[in-house]
Amino acid sequence: MKLRIFTEPQQGATYDDLLTVAQATERLGFDAFFRSDHYMRIGPGDPGPGSTDAWITLAGLARETSRIRLGTLVTPATFRLPGPLAISVAQVDQMSGGRVELGFGTGWFDGEHAAYGIPFPPQNERFGRFEEQLEIITGLWTAEKSYSFEGRYYRVVDSPALPKPVQSPRPPVIIGGFGAKRTPRLAAAYADEYNLPFRTLSDTAEGFGRVREACETTGRSLVYSVAQTTIVGRDRAEIERRAAAVGENPDTLRENGLAGTPAEVLEKIGKFAELGAEHLYLQILDLQDLEHLELIAAEVLPHVR
């Protein structure tokens, strides 16, 4: 099990905030720094400085870190055309020396699309575009010569398929979600990792099972992972203080997330590991509380196997 730090900067964070957290992530021994890919705050509250762009952020962090993996949970297919996205990810992979992972999804938050003039087609079309983008992006990365594609939504003609990423055959692709049919099929066909965010242990077992069944058809094996909202404290007062700072109920998070003392959190991490999770994305919402990361690094990370 590898622990990864996962941030939600659309809730209020500058690039400098993210740089501080990413460098702490590396210094403290975590495996990776991931961020969401959103252009607007989700839910009520001060919109703050406005969301930073995910791939511009990761390009900067690629030059300011040296070890940790870097990626998105997840980039919406609605935000970018497949060719330019393939170029962006490949270039950041080069800039990082081969440390990038692409978390990729259909897109769901219609409000941010309306706010920034981004088309938001119906769900069936979003899935159709998502699948074609998966085919094009992975095709561009792995093509040995020129690359062409003819689909319902996209057409690629004699692309030079450059630049190439450093990682071979390509950067890992992460597909997530709790969908019962299309998500398992697409994960089994295109993904290197299947991620199930913010679900209970029983839901996680069910979701992993569907994807494993789909992988029997394709003959591919995946990394399985989960994302959990995380609050860790040495005692109840510290847990409650950290939960209040991000508007969460600690008792609810104990049940539906990852909250409690280091011992309590380790027990639940062990249960996710028993289900087959190899990566755990710790969703950290208060990016100013570096002592939180230090506590997890000191009291949780060394005991995760």
Side-chain angles (χ1 to χ4, degrees):
M1 171 81 77
K2 295 180 179 179
L3 299 188
R4 299 178 152 192
I5 300 302
F6 169 39
T7 62
E8 299 275 5
Q10 78 279 353
Q11 303 303 94
T14 65
Y15 172 76
D16 287 339
D17 294 329
L18 296 173
L19 174 60
T20 298
V21 174
Q23 290 180 329
T25 297
E26 182 160 275
R27 172 175 54 84
L28 294 170
F30 293 100
D31 178 64
F33 173 91
F34 273 62
R35 59 156 293 162
S36 59
D37 192 347
H38 284 293
Y39 286 131
M40 196 170 74
R41 182 183 179 91
I42 300 171
D46 183 355
S51 186
T52 49
D53 182 86
W55 286 100
I56 291 176
T57 296
L58 294 174
L61 297 180
R63 309 303 285 184
E64 299 284 355
T65 59
S66 61
R67 179 191 59 79
I68 51 173
R69 308 287 296 174
L70 301 166
T72 52
L73 278 185
V74 293
T75 286
T78 50
F79 279 8
R80 301 167 183 89
L81 295 172
L85 179 58
I87 290 171
S88 294
V89 178
Q91 184 174 355
V92 177
D93 197 51
Q94 290 180 358
M95 294 169 71
S96 69
R99 293 184 284 126
V100 159
E101 304 184 14
L102 172 62
F104 203 34
T106 60
W108 64 271
F109 184 19
D110 56 347
E112 67 187 335
H113 291 74
Y116 288 99
I118 304 168
F120 188 69
Q123 185 179 55
N124 283 340
E125 181 178 336
R126 294 202 308 276
F127 265 96
R129 289 180 176 274
F130 177 50
E131 182 166 6
E132 288 190 14
Q133 287 208 23
L134 282 164
E135 179 70 30
I136 292 167
I137 291 167
T138 56
L140 288 168
W141 285 343
T142 57
E144 295 182 359
K145 297 181 180 179
S146 65
Y147 176 81
S148 297
F149 174 86
E150 187 75 43
R152 180 178 180 182
Y153 301 105
Y154 302 102
R155 183 170 182 251
V156 178
V157 182
D158 296 332
S159 171
L162 295 172
K164 293 298 188 192
V166 170
Q167 295 177 86
S168 180
R170 57 177 172 79
V173 173
I174 304 165
I175 293 177
F178 198 64
K181 295 180 179 180
R182 288 178 291 194
T183 297
R185 178 180 64 81
L186 293 175
Y190 295 101
D192 302 281
E193 178 177 328
Y194 170 66
N195 178 262
L196 197 51
F198 315 124
R199 293 287 176 167
T200 64
L201 288 163
S202 60
D203 284 345
T204 299
E206 182 181 344
F208 283 6
R210 285 197 292 259
V211 175
R212 289 190 180 104
E213 184 176 345
C215 284
E216 292 177 1
T217 301
T218 61
R220 302 178 70 245
S221 60
L222 307 183
V223 170
Y224 292 84
S225 66
V226 296
Q228 292 279 293
T229 305
T230 303
I231 295 289
V232 184
R234 294 176 181 85
D235 53 36
R236 183 167 184 83
E238 191 170 73
I239 295 165
E240 290 179 346
R241 173 175 62 80
R242 288 202 164 107
V246 296
E248 296 284 351
N249 181 296
D251 294 327
T252 301
L253 279 186
R254 274 191 169 96
E255 180 70 23
N256 300 321
L258 195 63
T261 64
E264 290 175 311
V265 167
L266 279 166
E267 181 180 3
K268 194 163 188 180
I269 288 174
K271 293 178 181 178
F272 280 116
E274 289 172 2
L275 296 177
E278 297 176 57
H279 294 162
L280 174 54
Y281 295 83
L282 307 176
Q283 186 199 46
I284 303 297
L285 296 175
D286 186 353
L287 302 186
Q288 306 303 318
D289 186 4
L290 295 183
E291 291 182 1
H292 192 197
L293 292 182
E294 291 168 356
L295 174 63
I296 297 169
E299 302 295 335
V300 177
L301 183 60
H303 305 290
V304 175
R305 297 290 183 266

